[in-house]
Amino acid sequence: MRSLGSWDSTTGGPEWFDSYDLLWSYKWIVGEICHFPDIPLTQIEALAEDLGKRYREHGYGPRTYLYYRFRLAMDLGRSEEAGTYLEQLQKLPRDRMSDCMACEQNQIVQYYAAAGDDHMALEAAKPILSGSMRCAEVPHITISHLLLPLHRAQSEEEAVKAHIRGYKLIKGKREFIEAISRHIEYLAITNPKKGIELFEQHIALTLQHEDPYQTMLFHLYSSKPLRRFALEDPGYRLRSPASFVTANGELTLEELAGHFGRLATTAAQKYDLRNGNRVYSELTATVLRE
């Protein structure tokens, strides 16, 4: 944002700025801004409109603006609005500001998965799973959104293969905590002990994580195998980072599940208060009941 301020303060933009690089980076900010619940809707709206204005001024079409409106609507829990933006952007040609085709297709998969449309999510994922669309984050992220749809479709063999394939791509990587969380949720259903192992391997990466949305999902989805494995082996001793034990004490599986559930619930309420709905609270309540 300081770069934009420097650009705006000099007529025509300072020579050391590349407008393409600046505008390309700007959409990354817009794409992540909803992850921070303290940023008000008015600021999010203003940034989205400013992005569209700048793209128009530099000769780019409306497709990328609509694509990021689609993403923002999903993050804000506005499924119907997201669907409208998706329909609009798919009618328009791509240009140099468009995200890569794999990233865009991944977002479409996430849209259908979040809407509970397993069939459409799996259909949309076909070019990604086949390898014809890929990038630095795809299929890494995409696969994590397909584990439960595959499981619900009674394609357990395919779900296991997807878990193994996807987890290899993200294991131990801090930037993929959300995707790791979704693998943990899948394992809570199919193999809670393995889910605990993934939790133990990655909890250190979430301590003071810079993205509160990813942290919320880690807390939420980790509570599930903790709760379920507590029924199988209530005396199991978790391997936790020393700093976590110092801050929270020695907690049983059940106690830790409750602790993480409360953290996730509190975070969800903050998002919902900002977003003006109850989407994340309802998601949290559903997961904590399962």
Side-chain angles (χ1 to χ4, degrees):
M1 297 304 292
R2 286 196 300 270
S3 296
L4 284 171
S6 298
W7 176 276
D8 291 338
S9 66
T10 305
T11 303
E15 293 180 358
W16 60 86
F17 277 114
D18 182 297
S19 64
Y20 177 81
D21 288 345
L22 188 63
L23 293 174
W24 186 270
S25 299
Y26 191 11
K27 65 180 181 177
W28 290 349
I29 296 171
V30 174
E32 299 296 323
I33 194 169
C34 290
H35 286 199
F36 300 90
D38 293 331
I39 298 178
L41 280 177
T42 52
Q43 187 174 346
I44 294 171
E45 178 71 22
L47 277 176
E49 287 305 303
D50 186 61
L51 177 77
K53 178 178 74 71
R54 290 177 187 273
Y55 279 21
R56 288 193 301 273
E57 290 173 349
H58 285 79
Y60 298 108
R63 190 180 192 280
T64 301
Y65 162 74
L66 291 171
Y67 171 70
Y68 275 86
R69 277 294 193 179
F70 162 64
R71 288 187 53 177
L72 290 173
M74 285 201 298
D75 287 344
L76 292 170
R78 302 172 179 176
S79 180
E80 185 174 342
E81 183 180 314
T84 300
Y85 283 125
L86 177 60
E87 183 178 350
Q88 291 174 356
L89 73 90
Q90 288 180 318
K91 297 175 182 177
L92 298 173
R94 294 169 53 82
D95 60 26
R96 292 181 67 231
M97 274 298 147
S98 298
D99 280 16
C100 80
M101 294 181 69
C103 282
E104 289 193 356
Q105 195 68 17
N106 168 68
Q107 291 294 331
I108 293 171
V109 172
Q110 290 190 42
Y111 166 73
Y112 286 122
D117 193 335
D118 292 349
H119 173 73
M120 287 300 296
L122 293 170
E123 283 294 312
K126 283 182 176 178
I128 293 175
L129 295 178
S130 70
S132 61
M133 289 184 181
R134 63 180 300 115
C135 68
E137 296 184 343
V138 176
H140 313 43
I141 295 172
T142 317
I143 289 174
S144 70
H145 288 268
L146 298 174
L147 297 174
L148 292 185
L150 284 169
H151 175 75
R152 286 192 291 262
Q154 298 183 333
S155 302
E156 194 53 42
E157 183 178 350
E158 292 303 313
V160 171
K161 288 180 181 177
H163 162 62
I164 293 171
R165 175 187 176 188
Y167 182 59
K168 285 180 180 178
L169 297 172
I170 61 177
K171 180 181 179 181
K173 296 181 180 179
R174 184 182 178 90
E175 66 270 29
F176 290 113
I177 284 298
E178 178 186 346
I180 291 166
S181 303
R182 295 183 185 278
H183 280 263
I184 291 174
E185 182 190 24
Y186 163 72
L187 290 170
I189 298 170
T190 60
N191 189 345
K193 176 61 167 65
K194 185 67 176 177
I196 295 294
E197 291 176 9
L198 264 64
F199 166 80
E200 291 174 325
Q201 291 168 12
H202 294 93
I203 183 176
L205 298 181
T206 70
L207 303 180
Q208 299 182 328
H209 196 281
E210 62 276 7
D211 188 329
Y213 178 74
Q214 294 201 52
T215 303
M216 176 184 73
L217 293 184
F218 184 84
H219 290 155
L220 177 61
Y221 293 138
S222 293
S223 69
K224 205 166 175 178
L226 289 167
R227 195 167 60 250
R228 292 190 175 196
F229 196 61
L231 299 175
E232 297 180 23
D233 188 355
Y236 181 83
R237 293 180 62 84
L238 278 170
R239 293 172 294 171
S240 303
S243 59
F244 181 84
V245 175
T246 300
N248 299 282
E250 289 279 1
L251 300 178
T252 66
L253 294 178
E254 187 175 359
E255 289 170 340
L256 188 55
H259 174 63
F260 277 177
R262 288 187 293 274
L263 289 177
T265 298
T266 299
Q269 290 169 348
K270 288 187 67 176
Y271 283 108
D272 287 347
L273 181 62
R274 190 271 312 276
N275 298 345
N277 54 45
R278 288 186 47 78
V279 169
Y280 289 111
S281 291
E282 289 172 2
L283 169 65
T284 302
T286 297
V287 172
L288 294 178
R289 281 196 304 266
E290 294 174 342

